């Protein structure tokens, strides 16, 4: 009997694909149950602190979505957010994330941290929806569940094809007194002239560039130029993915406003985030 390798390959491919589809079905099912409030275990947020270098103060946290599913373990946000976008669940998932982030803001304020902000990542798909702002104003803000100081992080990629539509939405968001950061800056194609037109407050320089600080001669790094150009057009600068002292020292030297990364802390569960903040504040007083 001669083995037919082509059928073998097909069988292998099918098995692989089936596994992938089963995994996706499971994730989508869990996300639906989360949105409907039937599953309160699998989905949660973690919070990563942001440090203001000038003030040596934790000025806020970024909320990062987490999903842990039985038999699948931890599912990365890059996977389940993309899936939520594909299945058009992102609007409901996004609202859920925003409300959970506001629960954390409430907790911060109950603990006496009234100025600490929370940043929420907003998917481009959410921003592109015509009624994004209306939904915010009518469903969320009027419910008094939404707290401030709140910030939205949006990525550059969505701007490429929809610059003016997105910019109008950003303007409306800013009118609601929500700050806006351009996330993963440098990975897209924003020019500085375009950047000046955008209704944003901050750029977050992507980890890719911060990583370069560790193995590039200082004179060859352009981050310092990016920082000063951003400042010239009135934007503040956050560095994401700061992992070592050398990166921090460089960023401090060139006037980067805020850093975030494992050097300071990984994203933390709510309780640990509050403790981190308390500890940081009390260390300052000593
Ligand atoms: P992002 O918004 O750029 O978030 C930064 C990512 O880098 C996070 O990964 C964070 O855990 C990780 N990170 C932070 N500091 C360091 C560091 O020092 N070193 C390294 N190596 N990594 C660091 P995470 O949590 O896996 O999130 C990945 C992406 O998924 C996020 O990128 C964001 O685009 C998306 N995402 C996460 N949560 C949400 C959400 O609630 N809504 C939406 N729409 N997207 C989300
Ligand atoms: Mg972000
Ligand atoms: Mg980022
Ligand atoms: Mg990034």
């Amino acid at each position: 009997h001669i083995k037919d390798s082509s059928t073998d390959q097909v069988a292998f491919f099918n098995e692989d694909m089936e596994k992938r589809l089963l995994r996706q079905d499971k994730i989508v099912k869990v996300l639906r149950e989360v949105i409907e409030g039937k599953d309160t275990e699998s989905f949660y947020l973690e919070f990563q602190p942001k440090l203001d270098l000038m003030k040596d103060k934790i000025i806020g946290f970024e909320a990062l979505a987490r999903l842990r599913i039985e038999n699948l373990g931890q599912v990365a946000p890059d996977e389940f957010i993309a899936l939520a976008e594909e299945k058009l669940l992102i609007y409901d998932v996004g609202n859920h994330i925003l409300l959970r982030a506001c629960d954390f803001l409430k907790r911060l304020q109950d603990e006496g941290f009234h100025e600490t902000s929370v940043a929420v990542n907003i998917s481009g798909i959410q921003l592109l929806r015509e009624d994004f702002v209306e939904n915010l104003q009518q469903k969320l803000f009027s419910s008094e569940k939404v707290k401030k100081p709140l910030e939205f992080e949006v990525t550059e990629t969505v701007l490429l094809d929809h610059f003016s539509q997105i910019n109008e939405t950003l303007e409306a968001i800013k009118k609601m007194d929500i700050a806006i950061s351009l996330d993963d800056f440098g990975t897209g194609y924003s020019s500085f002239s375009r950047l000046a037109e955008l209704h944003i407050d901050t750029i977050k320089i992507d980890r890719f560039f911060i990583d370069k600080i560790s193995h590039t001669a200082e004179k060859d790094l352009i981050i310092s130029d990016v920082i000063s150009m951003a400042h010239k057009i009135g934007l503040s600068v956050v560095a994401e993915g700061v992992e070592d002292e050398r990166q921090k020292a460089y960023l401090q030297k060139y006037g980067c406003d805020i850093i975030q990364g494992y050097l300071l802390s990984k994203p933390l569960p709510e309780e640990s985030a509050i403790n981190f903040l308390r500890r940081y504040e009390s260390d300052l007083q000593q």
Side-chain angles (χ1 to χ4, degrees):
H1 178 78
I2 298 165
K3 214 169 164 233
D4 185 341
S5 69
S6 70
T7 11
D8 246 25
Q9 256 177 0
V10 168
F12 182 69
F13 175 72
N14 281 341
E15 200 183 303
D16 234 33
M17 208 162 77
E18 197 177 306
K19 253 195 197 152
R20 217 183 63 211
L21 288 177
L22 281 174
R23 178 183 171 89
Q24 293 187 349
D25 281 353
K26 178 73 187 158
I27 296 171
V28 167
K29 184 167 164 273
V30 170
L31 283 177
R32 288 218 168 88
E33 286 168 356
V34 167
I35 296 162
E36 290 162 7
K38 289 179 194 153
D39 178 343
T40 54
E41 300 277 292
S42 309
F43 181 92
Y44 57 100
L45 297 179
E46 286 190 332
F47 303 93
Q48 189 178 34
K50 296 183 181 182
L51 175 70
D52 184 314
L53 286 173
M54 280 282 277
K55 297 183 192 150
D56 191 19
K57 190 179 164 64
I58 304 299
I59 47 115
F61 290 90
E62 175 177 6
L64 292 156
R66 299 288 179 254
L67 193 65
R68 192 171 38 220
I69 300 180
E70 210 180 322
N71 298 327
L72 297 186
Q74 208 73 34
V75 182
D78 285 322
E79 182 178 4
F80 71 79
I81 294 289
L83 205 52
E85 290 176 341
E86 196 183 307
K87 305 288 178 194
L88 300 181
L89 289 171
I90 192 65
Y91 308 112
D92 290 332
V93 170
N95 284 346
H96 184 79
I97 291 170
L98 182 60
L99 290 174
R100 298 291 292 271
C102 289
D103 291 341
F104 181 61
L105 265 172
K106 168 99 173 47
R107 175 78 201 280
L108 284 168
Q109 289 162 14
D110 289 346
E111 298 286 340
F113 301 108
H114 295 278
E115 280 159 23
T116 313
S117 72
V118 173
V120 179
N121 291 284
I122 305 288
S123 140
I125 311 275
Q126 282 175 277
L127 275 186
L128 279 173
R129 185 151 151 167
E130 299 277 338
D131 63 357
F132 179 78
V133 171
E134 197 183 294
N135 167 61
L136 263 181
Q137 280 166 336
Q138 293 178 358
K139 281 218 203 95
L140 299 172
F141 271 72
S142 59
S143 73
E144 285 177 27
K145 284 185 205 138
V146 173
K147 305 273 175 218
K148 288 174 189 167
L150 193 59
E151 182 175 334
F152 286 172
E153 296 192 5
V154 305
T155 50
E156 247 182 319
T157 41
V158 67
L159 292 169
L160 216 55
D161 296 322
H162 310 273
F163 189 89
S164 44
Q165 186 196 335
I166 294 287
N167 206 20
E168 267 177 44
T169 303
L170 297 182
E171 188 177 16
I173 294 169
K174 274 190 65 74
K175 283 197 180 129
M176 287 186 260
D177 203 24
I178 298 171
I180 300 167
S181 289
L182 195 57
D183 208 346
D184 302 340
F185 181 78
T187 59
Y189 302 91
S190 302
S191 64
F192 266 92
S193 57
R194 272 281 158 111
L195 210 56
E197 292 171 40
L198 266 182
H199 295 284
I200 59 171
D201 305 275
T202 304
I203 56 168
K204 289 189 81 172
I205 301 177
D206 193 72
R207 185 165 80 230
F208 175 82
F209 300 97
I210 305 308
D211 193 53
K212 283 195 184 306
I213 300 172
S214 314
H215 33 252
T216 308
E218 196 170 308
K219 64 170 177 49
D220 296 327
L221 289 167
I222 57 157
I223 303 172
S224 56
D225 303 302
V226 173
I227 294 170
S228 57
M229 281 193 279
H231 284 164
K232 264 186 196 132
I233 56 174
L235 301 174
S236 66
V237 181
V238 179
E240 67 170 25
V242 177
E243 293 183 354
D244 61 49
E245 291 291 348
R246 183 173 165 183
Q247 294 166 345
K248 182 181 173 184
Y250 173 92
L251 292 161
Q252 201 143 27
K253 179 173 173 187
Y254 291 104
C256 177
D257 303 281
I258 292 160
I259 61 166
Q260 198 183 4
Y262 295 168
L263 176 66
L264 189 63
S265 168
K266 292 196 168 190
L268 302 168
E270 171 164 332
E271 207 53 41
S272 315
I274 300 275
N275 284 332
F276 180 89
L277 193 54
R278 285 203 197 106
R279 232 182 307 120
Y280 207 93
E281 300 254 306
S282 66
D283 281 353
L284 281 184
Q285 268 148 38
Q286 279 160 26

